[in-house]
Structure formats: structure tokens, C-alpha cells
Amino acid sequence: MTNTLIFVDLASDDPAAAGAFYAEVFGWENDARPEGIYHRMVPGGFFKNKDGSDSQIGNLHLGIFDAGNARPHPEPAGVEPRTLSTTGRKPRIWVLISDDDSADRILATAQTLGATILWRNHYWKEFNGYNHAFVDPWGNEIVLWGKAGENPQIPADFTRE
């Protein structure tokens, strides 16, 4: 049996605001545990089987922690660093666009709430998907993924690789 990825956390200097941001942008439940210190974003639902039915595997959750005192940690006061990382490459979070949502709606909402759009309308042939990206107000990079399907018709305004 292999080790299993169960959670990914994003840093924020305001976990409550970040929780509200992701709840509005993606429609996820903002489960503050406790409020302002750690927020678990719960997308709900299950991964789909090939026939479109729900599998037994629940969608992964995303955590948002306070960069000033990242919990859990054995030291009650936490340890350095206590600031957001602002330079260089950092991990990217990939989010599959649901069939009943759109990249345009997600990007517009994110931008209205303070995100910076990195790019739109790109097709990656290797994995047969459309992608778009933004940086949230705390510096976390989010890449949106849209399924291109069988024999995709790539829009003329999309870049390609």
C-alpha cells in the first residue's frame, strides 16, 4: 500500500478572510476549526466513476492556516517563520472546474475578491485539458483545470503546448 495524500494547506495572514474567499470563489464549505486560526475548506461530494456516478472516494479538503502561528505544532506559540512567502516559486493547487461552473465565473469572482489573474485560455495537450490560473490575495497560486474531452476543438484564442 502506498502513502496517501490526504490534505494540502495554504498559508494566510488572515485565515477567516481566506476561508470566506474560497467559499465564495468555489462554493466550498468554510469549516473554521477554530475561527481565524485554521479553516478547513470542504468541497463536498465524491470523485466520479467513469460512468459519472459517485465513487466511494470523497473529494480532498484544503486547509488554510495562520502563517503567524501554523497549527498543529508542539510549541503553543509556534516558531519562525511567521510571514507569508512572497518570492520565488511555491506549490500550486490544481482545482478541477465542475461541469456546472465555468472558468470565467471563477476567475471573475476571484479577481473581484482581490486575486490576480496569471493567465487564461491555455490548452495542455499532454494531459488534454484547458487551464487558467490566478494568485489569491495571500500569494497562493491556483490553477484551474477544465476537461477537454475526446477529440477536443481548441478555441482559436487559446495558447497551446
Side-chain angles (χ1 to χ4, degrees):
M1 181 172 179
T2 62
N3 296 304
T4 303
L5 175 66
I6 60 167
F7 226 80
V8 174
D9 283 345
L10 297 179
S12 173
D13 57 5
D14 188 346
F21 174 90
Y22 282 99
E24 189 165 340
V25 170
F26 292 115
W28 296 340
E29 177 188 346
N30 179 7
D31 183 21
R33 301 179 69 175
E35 175 77 27
I37 294 172
Y38 191 87
H39 287 243
R40 181 178 70 153
M41 304 311 299
V42 183
F46 294 86
F47 282 96
K48 299 291 183 189
N49 293 313
K50 287 184 179 189
D51 66 2
S53 64
D54 286 343
S55 73
Q56 295 178 335
I57 303 167
N59 286 321
L60 297 177
H61 297 175
L62 175 75
I64 301 172
F65 68 93
D66 182 358
N69 187 356
R71 309 307 314 156
H73 193 279
E75 296 294 327
V79 296
E80 295 295 332
R82 296 181 186 278
T83 59
L84 298 172
S85 176
T86 58
T87 61
R89 287 283 181 201
K90 297 183 282 182
R92 299 184 302 174
I93 306 301
W94 294 73
V95 176
L96 179 63
I97 301 165
S98 112
D99 291 340
D100 62 354
D101 205 347
S102 72
D104 288 340
R105 197 236 19 111
I106 292 168
L107 292 169
T109 303
Q111 190 169 33
T112 297
L113 297 173
T116 301
I117 305 302
L118 296 176
W119 78 81
R120 296 174 182 262
N121 303 342
H122 182 72
Y123 174 71
W124 194 7
K125 183 178 180 180
E126 183 69 26
F127 292 98
N128 191 30
Y130 304 121
N131 51 84
H132 323 265
F134 66 87
V135 173
D136 75 11
W138 302 275
N140 299 298
E141 189 172 335
I142 309 300
V143 180
L144 303 178
W145 188 265
K147 300 177 227 172
E150 233 179 278
N151 302 312
Q153 301 300 308
I154 315 307
D157 66 327
F158 274 51
T159 55
R160 303 152 194 245
E161 69 178 280

